[in-house]
Amino acid sequence: MNDIKAHICPTCGGQLSVNIERQMYECPFCGGSFDYEYFREENVLDIAGQALKNKEFSSADRAYDFMLDKEADNFEALRGKALVSMNITKTEDLRYLDLYSKINHESVSKEICRGIESSQPQDREYFTVMKDVVDAGHEYVDEKEQIETPRAERNRLLERIQEYVRDRDIIGVYSPARVRPKKAVIRTFICYLFFCLIVFLGYKYATRNPYSKAEDLSQYETNETSDTSGILNYYPYNSNINFNDFSSWYTNQQKYEAALAREEQRKIDYDAWEESHHYTVFNLIIVLCISTVIFALIVLMLFLCSRSLDSEISKIEEKVNEQEDKIKSHEKRIDELKDRVSQGCKWLIDYEK
C-alpha cells in the first residue's frame, strides 16, 4: 500500500511544519511556505480506511495524522484515530466486552477527548457517546474483577457450612434442619430404653453367682448295668449282692468320686457367695438411676454441641447472605453497564449511517 508522502521542503529538504491559521506549510529552515494543494493527497481517507480494514494500524495512524494536520476537525480522521487507539477496525467491535480488558483506557480516553474538543459541533455528541461507551466498558471490567472477591468469600463460607452440617449430623441428637423436635424426643427415648436394657443385662451379668452351674455327673455313668431290674433278674438267687454298692454303674469310680466332691464344694461356695453378696432390686434401681444421669448428661452435652453448631451455621449464613447481596449488586451494575455499552454502540452505528 502507498503511504502518505512526507512533508519535505522541496527547496532545502527540511521538515515542514503546519501553520493552521494561514492554512499553509512552512519551512523553519529556509522560510519557504506552501499551500495545502501543493501536498494534496486525494485518497488520504481511502488509504487510511483500507489500512484500518487490513489491521495495519501504524499506517492508518500516520494517514489520519496527515489528514488532521490539514483538517483538525475532520470527523473520519478523528473517528479513525479513536479506533486505532483501541486496535479495532470498526465501531461494531465496541460491542465485544472482552475488548475493554485489553485496551489502555487512559490513552483511549485521551484520543476520544481529542475528538470531542476538535470535532465540529454536530459531531461532538458522537465522540461523547463513544467515550461513554468506553467508560462503561472500563467500569464493566472493574465490576467483573470486584465481583470475584465476594464470590470467593461466599464459596469459602459455604464450604464451612457444609463442614458444620456434617459435624452436626454426626452428632444426630437434634438437627432442626432434618428432624422435628417431637421426632427427636422419640428417638432419644428409644435410645434411652436401649441404654437401660444394656445396663440391666450388664448388671445381671456382673452380679451372677459364679458357682451357679452344677457339674454333670451323668457323664461318668455306664450304659451296661444301669437297669436295676436287669440285675435282679440276672441274679435272682444270689444273696451276696450288695444293692447299695453302685460302683459298677460308673466307668471310672475315682473320677466320679472326684466330681462328686467338686459338686459338694460348689454347693458350699455357692451358699457362701450368696451370703456375702446381697444384691436386691434396690441396687438395680440405683444403678439404673446413675446410668440415667450419665445418659442425660451425654444427651445434654450432644444437644448443646448441636445447638452450638446450629448457631455457628446461622452466623455464617448471615455472612453468606451479605456476600450474596454484594454479588447481586455487582451483577445488577454489570447488567446496567452491558446495556449501556449495547445502547451506545447502537447509537454510534446509527449515526454513522
Side-chain angles (χ1 to χ4, degrees), residues 183-208:
K183 290 185 178 180
V185 171
I186 294 174
R187 291 183 180 183
T188 304
F189 182 71
I190 293 174
C191 291
Y192 171 70
L193 292 179
F194 180 75
F195 181 78
C196 289
L197 177 62
I198 296 299
V199 171
F200 175 76
L201 294 177
Y203 176 83
K204 293 295 291 181
Y205 179 80
T207 59
R208 69 181 180 86

Side-chain angles (χ1 to χ4, degrees), residues 217 220-222 244-261:
L217 299 178
Y220 302 104
E221 295 180 359
T222 180
N244 293 322
D245 183 11
F246 296 96
S247 60
S248 61
W249 287 31
Y250 299 93
T251 56
N252 192 322
Q253 181 66 20
Q254 292 180 349
K255 289 184 179 180
Y256 168 74
E257 291 177 353
L260 186 62

Side-chain angles (χ1 to χ4, degrees), residues 119-134:
S119 62
Q120 298 180 9
Q122 66 270 21
D123 296 328
R124 286 175 186 168
E125 185 177 4
Y126 176 90
F127 292 102
T128 302
V129 173
M130 178 180 283
K131 186 174 188 312
D132 182 71
V133 170
V134 173

Side-chain angles (χ1 to χ4, degrees), residues 143-154 157 318-334:
E143 289 292 331
K144 289 286 286 185
E145 292 177 355
Q146 293 177 18
I147 199 175
E148 293 304 320
T149 300
R151 278 179 177 171
E153 180 65 15
R154 179 195 60 183
L157 292 173
E318 291 179 0
K319 295 181 180 179
V320 170
N321 292 333
E322 292 177 1
Q323 299 303 321
E324 288 286 356
D325 292 339
K326 292 181 180 179
I327 292 172
K328 289 179 180 179
S329 177
H330 285 299
E331 288 178 343
K332 181 180 178 181
R333 181 60 179 165
I334 287 173

Side-chain angles (χ1 to χ4, degrees), residues 261-353:
R262 289 197 301 270
E263 180 62 18
E264 292 296 332
Q265 184 61 42
R266 183 195 68 78
K267 292 179 180 179
I268 295 173
D269 294 339
Y270 179 87
D271 293 336
W273 193 92
E274 288 291 334
E275 290 179 2
S276 60
H277 298 80
H278 298 286
Y279 294 108
T280 63
V281 176
F282 179 74
N283 299 123
L284 177 60
I285 293 174
I286 293 176
V287 172
L288 287 176
C289 290
I290 295 174
S291 302
T292 300
V293 171
I294 295 174
F295 179 83
L297 290 175
I298 294 174
V299 171
L300 179 61
M301 180 184 68
L302 295 176
F303 174 81
L304 293 177
C305 184
S306 179
R307 294 289 291 181
S308 176
L309 289 173
D310 286 334
S311 177
E312 289 296 326
I313 291 173
S314 298
K315 292 178 181 178
I316 297 175
E317 286 176 345
E318 291 179 0
K319 295 181 180 179
V320 170
N321 292 333
E322 292 177 1
Q323 299 303 321
E324 288 286 356
D325 292 339
K326 292 181 180 179
I327 292 172
K328 289 179 180 179
S329 177
H330 285 299
E331 288 178 343
K332 181 180 178 181
R333 181 60 179 165
I334 287 173
D335 291 338
E336 291 176 353
L337 293 170
K338 290 168 67 175
D339 184 66
R340 186 169 146 193
V341 170
S342 177
Q343 294 297 327
C345 287
K346 184 177 182 301
W347 189 93
L348 293 173
I349 294 170
D350 292 340
Y351 184 87
E352 291 175 359
K353 293 179 180 179

Side-chain angles (χ1 to χ4, degrees), residues 16-274:
L16 297 177
S17 62
V18 179
N19 189 323
I20 300 298
E21 295 181 358
R22 297 180 57 196
Q23 296 288 303
M24 298 282 288
Y25 288 109
E26 297 179 347
C27 180
F29 303 99
C30 66
S33 60
F34 308 88
D35 59 14
Y36 281 167
E37 294 299 324
Y38 186 88
F39 295 99
R40 181 173 179 79
E41 179 65 60
E42 296 292 340
N43 300 319
V44 172
L45 292 178
D46 291 339
I47 293 173
Q50 187 61 39
L52 185 64
K53 184 178 180 180
N54 295 335
K55 296 185 179 180
E56 298 174 359
F57 298 112
S58 297
S59 297
D61 189 59
R62 289 196 298 270
Y64 287 130
D65 283 337
F66 179 85
M67 179 58 67
L68 290 175
D69 284 343
K70 299 198 307 181
E71 189 179 344
D73 59 355
N74 185 277
F75 172 78
E76 290 296 330
L78 293 171
R79 170 183 168 276
K81 286 285 290 183
L83 296 179
V84 168
S85 67
M86 292 180 278
N87 287 341
I88 58 177
T89 60
K90 54 186 180 298
T91 308
E92 287 86 342
D93 293 342
L94 293 171
R95 293 179 183 271
Y96 303 110
L97 297 172
D98 293 340
L99 166 71
Y100 301 100
S101 61
K102 303 173 184 177
I103 64 175
N104 187 322
H105 180 259
E106 184 178 352
S107 62
V108 172
S109 296
K110 182 178 179 181
E111 200 63 55
I112 297 175
C113 288
R114 176 187 178 185
I116 296 174
E117 296 171 358
S118 303
S119 62
Q120 298 180 9
Q122 66 270 21
D123 296 328
R124 286 175 186 168
E125 185 177 4
Y126 176 90
F127 292 102
T128 302
V129 173
M130 178 180 283
K131 186 174 188 312
D132 182 71
V133 170
V134 173
D135 289 342
H138 181 67
E139 291 181 38
Y140 169 83
V141 173
D142 288 342
E143 289 292 331
K144 289 286 286 185
E145 292 177 355
Q146 293 177 18
I147 199 175
E148 293 304 320
T149 300
R151 278 179 177 171
E153 180 65 15
R154 179 195 60 183
N155 294 337
R156 186 183 67 82
L157 292 173
L158 289 175
E159 290 178 358
R160 287 184 59 190
I161 288 178
Q162 291 178 357
E163 292 176 0
Y164 284 141
V165 169
R166 284 195 296 268
D167 293 342
R168 183 191 63 187
D169 291 344
I170 290 173
I171 295 173
V173 175
Y174 177 69
S175 178
R178 301 182 300 106
V179 182
R180 294 180 180 178
K182 183 178 179 181
K183 290 185 178 180
V185 171
I186 294 174
R187 291 183 180 183
T188 304
F189 182 71
I190 293 174
C191 291
Y192 171 70
L193 292 179
F194 180 75
F195 181 78
C196 289
L197 177 62
I198 296 299
V199 171
F200 175 76
L201 294 177
Y203 176 83
K204 293 295 291 181
Y205 179 80
T207 59
R208 69 181 180 86
N209 194 321
Y211 305 104
S212 60
K213 186 177 181 180
E215 187 171 355
D216 183 14
L217 299 178
S218 63
Q219 62 180 318
Y220 302 104
E221 295 180 359
T222 180
N223 295 326
E224 296 179 358
T225 59
S226 58
D227 189 357
T228 307
S229 61
I231 296 174
L232 294 175
N233 292 331
Y234 187 76
Y235 301 103
Y237 305 108
N238 191 347
S239 58
N240 296 325
I241 296 177
N242 184 4
F243 291 100
N244 293 322
D245 183 11
F246 296 96
S247 60
S248 61
W249 287 31
Y250 299 93
T251 56
N252 192 322
Q253 181 66 20
Q254 292 180 349
K255 289 184 179 180
Y256 168 74
E257 291 177 353
L260 186 62
R262 289 197 301 270
E263 180 62 18
E264 292 296 332
Q265 184 61 42
R266 183 195 68 78
K267 292 179 180 179
I268 295 173
D269 294 339
Y270 179 87
D271 293 336
W273 193 92
E274 288 291 334

